[in-house]
Amino acid sequence: MKLKSKIVVAFCIMVILPTVTFAVLSTGIFQYKSSSIQQLYDVDWNLNLNSFDSSAALMGRIMERIYQDMKEIADNMPEKYNDIKFLEQTNKELEKKLTQIVVKREDTITYKSDNISVDVLNELIDIYDVDTNDALSDVSVYKGDEYQCFIRCIQFSNNDNEEISVYLITSLQQSIPQIKGFATEIIMLGLIVIAITSVVLMIWIYNSIFRPIEKLRLATNNIKQGNYDFEMPKASKDEIGDVFRDFEEMRIILKNTSEQKVISDKEEKELIRNISHDLKTPITAVKGYVEGILDGVADTPEKQKKYLMTIANKANDMDKLIDELTIYSRLGSNRVQYLFRKICVADYFNEYCDEISMDLESQDILLEYNCHQCDNVYIIADAEQLKRVVNNIISNSVKYMCPDRKGIINIDIFDEEVYVHIIMKDNGKGIGINDLSHIFERFYRTDSSRNSKQGGSGIGLAIVKKIIEDHRGKIWAESVEGKGTTMHICLKKGIDNSTYLTI
């Protein structure tokens, strides 16, 4: 759920849930209180909120029920109003119903409730006697001012023909306990509902927002300390979840970058060692031959020429090494500007093989070249960089030729639908199965001893792979140790004759 939706839901919960819960629980409490009032006060009346709001109506109904019960006793058993025990028991029952009783025989008060003073009682009775008569004795009289009460009287004669008056006084200055309790419980209920809703929302918001933010903060601290070996926890499908997923992608990228940097630093250190070794060997040789010339060891023109030729060869080796490093550096930073042209495969390789065949022959290596039906086949390539690829592969083949047999290098070119397939095969030492999958890696060398005869930076084939990939081609190797190595290159053919220059 999106954060926007969560805010809307939280608002609805905050408004609707307390309202609905409060209404349902209030209705339940009201029904319970109504039932309690009906049972306790013996009121046969459907109570509603107006009854709770207007206690006078309810008190009047309670008094009506009490009056009917007391009148029934007066009609059937008038002598009971002479029984003190009966009156005391009746008084206790009436107190529960918020009513007081006064019994008057002739002009003498024979019984009254304990919590009403004689002065107030006499005044109320006098008021009732003035406001009512025998015909209206069934009518309740309301006395306001400081009294605030209902007064009702039952008049009858006992067996001795004495006039008995029973006054029922119900004060309106007091509240029915159930009504007072209802108001208190409603207030407490509202507070409880609001508190529970707030707690639920707080827990929900904490789990939805603050806890994920805390996890994100811990992840940020790990990143800050350089620790990338952790995994972001799964998050919900909202904006914070999107941040989690983006953060996880960033962590993976940073981790890969960090690992690549470690590998790169290791390779750079290895490169420095390799360069130091590969430069030190020819420099040592150059210094030795120069010192030989200066010391007069080369005392004949033939020796001097030999020494100078050796110095020139060593200088060329160093120049080639530096050139390889420069090219690889430019390729790695994508600073090499390729000049792609449409090249005729047959013409290009015919010219190239003619150029290097004499050099290979001087090293007792036979070059066999075949272009299989490729006379009108074109590729899109940078002629100079493609030449660098072929030179590096042939140089490797020459370097690892077996001294005990005549070296042979085969170059075969095939037209394969949208690709030109170039196969370069030699009969050299071959590459071990454990090394074959690593030969295109930077600074990797199969001869870890780095002997002076076969030195090199170990980046020749890495350069080859980078150039072929920049041509959107493919390169791979096959080899049998002791029998030779085969390099496969696939380059896309050039089809649109109007796009590129033909050379």
Side-chain angles (χ1 to χ4, degrees):
M1 185 185 296
K2 299 295 184 181
L3 286 180
K4 182 178 179 181
S5 301
K6 288 183 178 180
I7 292 174
V8 173
V9 170
F11 176 78
C12 293
I13 292 175
M14 190 180 300
V15 174
I16 297 174
L17 182 61
T19 303
V20 173
T21 305
F22 182 78
V24 171
L25 294 179
S26 297
T27 302
I29 293 176
F30 176 78
Q31 295 295 335
Y32 172 75
K33 291 294 183 181
S34 299
S35 176
S36 176
I37 290 174
Q38 289 176 354
Q39 292 177 4
L40 181 60
Y41 298 107
D42 196 17
V43 178
D44 186 12
W45 186 33
N46 292 326
L47 297 176
N48 51 39
L49 289 177
N50 291 330
S51 304
F52 282 74
D53 184 55
S54 177
S55 60
L58 181 59
M59 297 296 284
R61 178 65 68 172
I62 293 173
M63 174 172 273
E64 175 65 24
R65 185 62 183 173
I66 295 172
Y67 174 79
Q68 294 297 333
D69 292 341
M70 299 295 289
K71 191 171 185 304
E72 184 177 353
I73 295 173
D75 292 340
N76 298 322
M77 295 178 289
E79 68 279 0
K80 281 189 171 290
Y81 288 99
N82 295 326
D83 187 351
I84 296 300
K85 290 184 179 180
F86 167 75
L87 292 174
E88 289 179 351
Q89 181 65 32
T90 302
N91 181 58
K92 290 180 181 179
E93 295 296 327
L94 293 178
E95 284 180 350
K96 295 179 183 179
K97 298 179 180 180
L98 311 177
T99 300
Q100 298 167 333
I101 184 172
V102 176
V103 179
K104 185 177 179 183
R105 183 186 299 167
E106 297 295 342
D107 293 328
T108 304
I109 296 175
T110 59
Y111 184 84
K112 73 176 185 65
S113 297
D114 295 336
N115 53 354
I116 184 171
S117 66
V118 176
D119 295 336
V120 172
L121 176 61
N122 289 330
E123 186 172 354
L124 289 175
I125 291 174
D126 292 341
I127 292 171
Y128 184 87
D129 291 339
V130 171
D131 293 341
T132 62
N133 52 43
D134 293 342
L136 300 175
S137 61
D138 287 347
V139 178
S140 296
V141 174
Y142 169 73
K143 176 58 180 173
D145 298 331
E146 71 272 18
Y147 301 108
Q148 297 289 323
C149 64
F150 281 132
I151 307 171
R152 203 159 194 182
C153 180
I154 303 171
Q155 294 180 336
F156 60 92
S157 297
N158 59 13
N159 296 331
D160 297 329
N161 292 321
E162 292 178 326
E163 184 178 346
I164 305 298
S165 298
V166 179
Y167 294 91
L168 302 174
I169 303 172
T170 301
S171 175
L172 298 180
Q173 293 180 343
Q174 57 187 338
S175 299
I176 295 178
Q178 286 77 5
I179 295 179
K180 184 186 294 185
F182 176 73
T184 303
E185 289 169 3
I186 287 295
I187 294 173
M188 293 300 297
L189 176 64
L191 294 176
I192 292 172
V193 169
I194 293 173
I196 292 175
T197 304
S198 301
V199 170
V200 171
L201 286 177
M202 183 176 65
I203 294 173
W204 185 49
I205 292 174
Y206 177 80
N207 290 331
S208 300
I209 299 176
F210 293 104
R211 181 172 290 178
I213 290 177
E214 178 63 19
K215 293 179 181 178
L216 191 61
R217 188 187 68 81
L218 294 176
T220 304
N221 288 336
N222 281 326
I223 295 293
K224 183 172 65 177
Q225 296 172 7
N227 175 27
Y228 308 108
D229 294 324
F230 65 92
E231 185 175 354
M232 292 295 294
K234 293 182 179 180
S236 56
K237 295 181 180 180
D238 55 14
E239 290 83 353
I240 294 180
D242 294 338
V243 173
F244 266 59
R245 285 180 282 275
D246 291 342
F247 196 93
E248 175 64 10
E249 291 179 6
M250 181 191 72
R251 181 194 69 82
I252 293 173
I253 292 173
L254 289 174
K255 181 180 179 182
N256 293 337
T257 302
S258 177
E259 292 174 350
Q260 288 296 327
K261 186 177 184 304
V262 171
I263 295 173
S264 179
D265 291 344
K266 182 179 179 181
E267 290 175 345
E268 287 178 3
K269 291 178 182 178
E270 182 68 20
L271 174 62
I272 292 173
R273 286 197 298 267
N274 293 348
I275 294 173
S276 299
H277 183 279
D278 291 339
L279 288 178
K280 186 175 182 180
T281 301
I283 288 174
T284 301
V286 168
K287 286 175 63 179
Y289 283 107
V290 169
E291 289 174 359
I293 293 173
L294 293 175
D295 293 342
V297 175
D299 52 0
T300 64
E302 291 79 9
K303 283 187 176 181
Q304 290 177 356
K305 182 179 180 180
K306 181 180 179 181
Y307 277 33
L308 291 174
M309 286 295 296
T310 303
I311 291 172
N313 291 334
K314 297 299 181 182
N316 287 334
D317 291 341
M318 289 187 287
D319 185 63
K320 290 179 181 178
L321 176 61
I322 293 172
D323 183 56
E324 273 192 344
L325 293 172
T326 302
I327 290 297
Y328 183 78
S329 175
R330 290 179 178 176
L331 287 170
S333 57
N334 295 318
R335 288 189 290 115
V336 173
Q337 297 296 324
Y338 288 99
L339 185 60
F340 289 104
R341 291 291 186 268
K342 193 171 184 180
I343 301 173
C344 177
V345 175
D347 293 344
Y348 181 83
F349 278 93
N350 285 340
E351 182 180 346
Y352 176 79
C353 290
D354 288 341
E355 181 182 329
I356 66 168
S357 59
M358 296 298 293
D359 184 46
L360 292 175
E361 187 176 346
S362 67
Q363 300 179 64
D364 197 26
I365 297 174
L366 176 63
L367 175 64
E368 295 181 353
Y369 164 69
N370 289 289
C371 186
H372 303 274
Q373 299 178 350
C374 297
D375 293 339
N376 295 316
V377 175
Y378 295 85
I379 59 173
I380 307 302
D382 184 312
E384 182 181 351
Q385 299 302 332
L386 183 58
K387 185 177 181 180
R388 189 183 302 278
V389 168
V390 179
N391 279 340
N392 281 2
I393 293 175
I394 289 180
S395 295
N396 267 12
S397 296
V398 172
K399 187 186 302 182
Y400 293 101
M401 283 294 178
C402 294
D404 56 347
R405 62 173 175 249
K406 182 178 179 61
I408 301 174
I409 296 177
N410 298 90
I411 299 178
D412 292 278
I413 302 175
F414 298 90
D415 178 9
E416 297 180 354
E417 298 181 354
V418 297
Y419 286 97
V420 171
H421 190 180
I422 304 168
I423 301 176
M424 304 177 68
K425 181 179 180 180
D426 65 55
N427 64 340
K429 295 179 180 179
I431 303 171
I433 189 171
N434 293 329
D435 296 320
L436 188 61
S437 60
H438 301 287
I439 61 173
F440 294 107
E441 295 177 3
R442 296 181 295 175
F443 316 122
Y444 186 83
R445 295 191 59 201
T446 58
D447 58 325
S448 57
S449 61
R450 302 192 59 81
N451 60 73
S452 60
K453 183 178 178 180
Q454 293 180 342
S457 63
I459 60 174
L461 290 181
I463 293 174
V464 167
K465 186 172 188 280
K466 183 70 168 80
I467 293 174
I468 294 299
E469 288 178 346
D470 289 345
H471 281 68
R472 296 185 179 180
K474 296 182 293 183
I475 183 170
W476 69 94
E478 297 173 350
S479 184
V480 178
E481 197 167 6
K483 293 185 177 182
T485 301
T486 303
M487 290 287 180
H488 296 265
I489 299 174
C490 285
L491 295 173
K492 284 188 175 181
K493 294 189 333 188
I495 299 174
D496 186 358
N497 295 330
S498 64
T499 305
Y500 300 94
L501 295 175
T502 303
I503 61 173

